[in-house]
């Protein structure tokens, strides 16, 4: 069953609340849930809405390393890095794609969100970055078609990277931000299970990032165990990290982190949950701005309010789970904050110098931690987990063996329904 | 202690046998060794010559997914893929780098191979591909300098990819193939622990690829478990895979696979060990040629015997562990074989279409399996593990945030000693 955390409404299918418009979540029963003896998305099956598919890429999602990186300690705060770039397509997106595709494969049984008649014929997503690559790969490992809606002006390198897995790509000319909502409207009727940035299935998969972090601290694997502690000391990590710092774009990963913390707490696995901090690039920081203003909801940034940033993959002016993330930051005594591109560049250089290569967006947590330490929001001696969300080859031409131009259809936004086989025009 | 598997000589330090010239291996004591309850390089600590370092990237090596990929089944042979591209720098090389750097950090205690006076001041490697990137990253996560010897004509993209981690890079003008041996000669005196493609430390780390594979089958995690079996069936995988197919270049990974199989067998963990198959690109296949001729040793290919191949990262005309790999193929009832570029391209396309993106060299095992199946060397119903060694962004410009030209020293091969601070010229 699905519930709206904002207003309490329940639903059998769908992705957002019919009453208040906020994203739906899958209900879970934390009763009797214990830490699994290993990591990986499916290790947390007791808290997932669907069984794993019997093979394929879904099995490879998650189980990413958590490393103690003392060279990155910030004013005495102890830094651990969760390296999500080691997922099969190089980002945390594989966690949600694995669950989303598994649900679609399961033919609508067992908690899928699909609101159409019968089972979905395809999976889909609205993305031109890591999520598009991830969904295309996970779709490819099953018999389901994958539909990827990209903006008309997508770069050739990005297009090629997605096209390597041979999904159906539709370039849509028009307001790309609204496509998220178009997909929710059109998906059920066109037989496509859209697994977007904060869909309930994706959030269910993405919560395993922080479940793995909490498990590592609870079981003593973090900090004091292999790869932990400080050189020459036997310092042990605490049972729970003091804080988790992660980038925020749509808010889907941020709200998943909150869900993870709440479920672990409800199961009695965590006593004193970590503070959650969400970091944006200053050029496009609607969640941080709302947090600083003390607002209850995030307001969409318009036109000239949005600047350019090196952390382009998290530059979302209208985050569909922004308001949920705002609630998460407040409820956990954390914050949303913004860092400028100079700070992001410096943090990225330092991560690479510590052996950890990340895309610019994934350097924002270290930049954010440094600001938080300066402000006194994080203390010396605290153990802080930075979520390095991706390695960032999604936007490059990684040599996929293809060459020449790609023949990809382009439709106006008003023609999307017809392109998906709906309405008079058909396909 | 180190031993030569070819002639039985033992040594306290060094990398190759003083008597017969073959590579040395670390002795292990399989007595009482059991399967660990998880994967990862350090999970197999009972069989490693050094303790893990207390933090840093070394902790993140290994623990890669093994996925059942029924879409790649070849004439009824069941295909499992070990996805090494999910290592922190994108290839299996991180396993050996982790152990090599850990040994250097441990100041020569506990089984390092360093033959110089005292502890090494630096780690080093001879590589312009995945191994260079891996060593630079693992070096960066410690306090040790890392020296990377590259050919003078290295591409700008590759150079940039290595330089991102800020190692000392030396471009050497001359016979690049001989640099492997130059490094062994110069390393001890110049204070550099060279961890090359088949150094004993690297082999110790790299054997964990196949140890993880064997563990997964033995514990029931492969095939029949999560991500295993065939859609709609409950087929279980056997306790041991029937065969492991992997690319071969220097022979360091191949001989490590053999070491893994032998240690697991000696420990009583495996009854009927898998056949080991090693695949080369036809354009540069000295090991396959020697296998087919029935030779006991691999002969270096010269000049026009070496062609171009898309699988450039395994095109090694003079593999320093080629003879060892030949022995491994024969002893396990496997083979060394070659596949042409068309077959590699086709295999790579099919892997990507199954959601698994690999570099061309990592597609050779699938191409090889297809040949083996045609020949009848692999039967329908057998379970075969393909080792997908890397994701292949090592040679691309992955957007590391740097720009402009790189100022890298170039020395003639005859000037390498001086560049490393030895001889009259000093540094």
């Amino acid at each position: 069953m699905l519930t709206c955390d904002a207003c309490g409404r329940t639903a059998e299918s769908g992705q957002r609340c019919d009453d208040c418009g906020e994203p739906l979540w899958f209900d879970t029963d934390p009763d009797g849930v214990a830490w699994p003896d290993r990591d990986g998305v499916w290790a947390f099956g007791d808290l997932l809405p669907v069984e794993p598919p019997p093979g394929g890429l879904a099995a490879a999602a998650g189980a990413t390393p958590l490393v103690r990186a003392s060279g990155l300690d910030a004013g005495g705060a102890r830094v651990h890095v969760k390296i999500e770039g080691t997922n099969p397509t190089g980002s945390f997106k594989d966690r949600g794609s694995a669950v989303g595709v598994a649900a679609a494969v399961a033919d609508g049984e067992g908690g899928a969100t699909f609101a159409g008649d019968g089972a979905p014929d395809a999976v889909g997503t609205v993305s031109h970055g890591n999520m598009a690559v991830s969904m295309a790969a996970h779709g490819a490992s099953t018999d389901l078609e994958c539909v990827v809606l990209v903006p008309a002006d997508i770069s050739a390198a990005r297009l090629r990277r997605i096209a390597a897995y041979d999904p159906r790509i539709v370039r849509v000319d028009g307001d790309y931000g609204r496509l998220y909502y178009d997909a929710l409207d059109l998906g059920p009727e066109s037989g496509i299970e859209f697994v977007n940035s904060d869909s309930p299935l994706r959030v269910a998969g993405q919560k395993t990032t922080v479940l793995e972090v909490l498990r590592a601290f609870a079981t003593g694997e973090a900090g004091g165990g292999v790869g932990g502690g400080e050189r020459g000391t036997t310092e042990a990590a605490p049972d729970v990290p003091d804080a988790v710092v992660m980038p925020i774009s749509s808010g889907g990963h941020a709200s998943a982190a909150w869900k993870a913390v709440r479920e672990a707490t409800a199961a009695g696995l965590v006593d004193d949950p970590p503070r959650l901090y969400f970091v944006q690039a200053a050029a496009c920081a609607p969640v941080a701005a709302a947090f600083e203003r003390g607002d209850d909801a995030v307001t969409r940034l318009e036109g000239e309010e949005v600047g350019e940033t090196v952390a382009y993959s998290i530059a979302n002016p209208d985050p569909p789970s922004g308001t949920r993330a705002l609630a998460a930051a407040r409820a956990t005594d954390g914050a949303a904050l913004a860092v400028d591109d100079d700070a992001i560049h410096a943090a990225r250089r330092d991560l690479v110098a510590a052996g950890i290569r990340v895309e610019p967006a994934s350097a924002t947590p270290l930049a954010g931690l440094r600001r938080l330490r300066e402000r006194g929001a994080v203390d010396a001696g605290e153990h802080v987990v930075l979520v390095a969300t991706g390695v960032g080859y999604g936007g490059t031409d990684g040599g996929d063996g293809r060459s020449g131009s790609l023949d990809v259809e382009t439709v106006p936004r008003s023609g999307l329904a017809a392109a998906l086989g709906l309405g008079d025009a058909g396909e």
Side-chain angles (χ1 to χ4, degrees), chain A:
Chain A
M1 195 181 66
L2 298 152
T3 57
C4 175
D5 196 62
C7 75
R9 190 181 196 282
T10 63
E12 287 302 316
S13 64
Q15 302 206 15
R16 299 187 76 96
C17 178
D18 283 344
D19 284 350
C20 74
E22 282 294 290
L24 296 171
W25 274 351
F26 279 104
D27 253 2
T28 55
D29 179 7
D31 214 38
V33 171
W35 287 126
D37 62 359
R38 69 189 62 222
D39 279 338
V41 166
W42 304 106
F44 299 94
D46 289 347
L47 297 169
L48 295 179
V50 63
E51 296 292 311
L57 203 60
T64 57
L66 177 70
V67 302
R68 174 79 177 92
S70 55
L72 298 173
D73 285 356
R78 310 288 198 253
V79 169
H80 304 249
V81 182
K82 182 73 170 163
I83 307 180
E84 288 295 294
T86 63
N87 272 292
T89 73
S91 85
F92 75 101
K93 292 290 185 182
D94 287 326
R95 296 178 183 272
S97 301
V99 172
V101 171
V105 167
D107 295 342
E109 296 164 22
T113 62
F114 190 62
D117 290 333
D121 308 313
V123 291
T125 199
V126 178
S127 167
H128 50 124
N130 290 325
M131 186 163 63
V133 169
S134 176
M135 281 298 287
H138 283 265
S141 85
T142 73
D143 294 333
L144 286 172
E145 189 186 21
C146 179
V147 178
V148 182
L149 306 184
V150 302
D153 63 353
I154 185 172
S155 77
R158 284 182 165 231
L159 194 59
R160 201 170 289 121
R161 183 78 180 80
I162 301 165
Y165 298 101
D166 207 23
R168 178 175 174 201
I169 301 176
V170 182
R171 288 208 269 221
V172 187
D173 204 1
D175 183 346
Y176 189 66
R178 300 306 302 172
L179 267 189
Y180 167 95
Y181 297 98
D182 292 344
L184 297 193
D185 289 343
L186 299 173
E189 208 183 334
S190 55
I192 304 169
E193 173 81 271
F194 275 98
V195 186
N196 286 335
S197 56
D198 66 346
S199 85
L201 288 165
R202 183 167 296 283
V203 168
Q206 289 179 171
K207 75 185 176 189
T208 61
T209 307
V210 167
L211 286 173
E212 287 184 5
V213 166
L214 296 174
R215 194 194 75 83
F217 277 81
T219 59
E221 287 173 28
V226 167
E230 300 221 60
R231 178 112 182 88
T233 79
T234 54
E235 181 190 78
D239 292 342
V240 184
D242 297 290
V244 175
V245 189
M246 54 202 296
I248 177 169
S249 175
S250 70
H253 203 195
S255 67
W258 192 29
K259 198 166 195 306
V261 165
R262 287 166 63 174
E263 290 178 359
T265 306
L269 298 172
V270 166
D271 280 333
D272 187 16
R275 311 192 297 278
L276 298 179
Y277 294 99
F278 307 125
V279 191
Q280 301 197 286
C284 185
V287 184
F291 184 85
E292 279 159 30
R293 284 194 303 262
D295 289 356
D296 287 335
V298 171
T299 309
R300 172 183 172 139
L301 297 183
E302 302 288 348
E304 64 200 23
E305 294 175 302
V306 182
E308 294 282 315
T309 169
V310 65
Y312 53 84
S313 69
I314 56 168
N316 189 330
D318 185 22
S321 277
T323 294
R324 182 71 50 89
L326 207 54
R330 294 223 173 87
T332 61
D333 207 19
L337 67 157
V339 293
D340 65 27
D341 274 18
D342 284 350
I344 295 170
H345 277 300
R348 188 175 185 219
R349 276 194 301 272
D350 292 343
L351 278 156
V352 174
I356 302 168
R357 185 156 167 272
V358 295
E359 65 175 303
S362 298
T364 58
L366 178 57
L369 170 62
R370 289 169 174 174
R371 273 205 70 188
L372 292 165
R373 188 69 196 86
E374 283 162 16
R375 285 187 197 170
V378 168
D379 291 332
E382 289 200 310
H383 283 257
V384 180
V385 175
L386 309 179
V387 182
T389 43
V391 74
Y393 51 84
T396 68
D397 183 350
D400 52 31
R402 285 164 176 256
S403 59
S405 64
L406 288 164
D407 186 23
V408 173
E409 61 194 312
T410 303
V411 302
R413 190 176 149 226
S414 60
L416 182 59
L420 298 180
L422 305 177
D424 291 332
E427 189 179 6

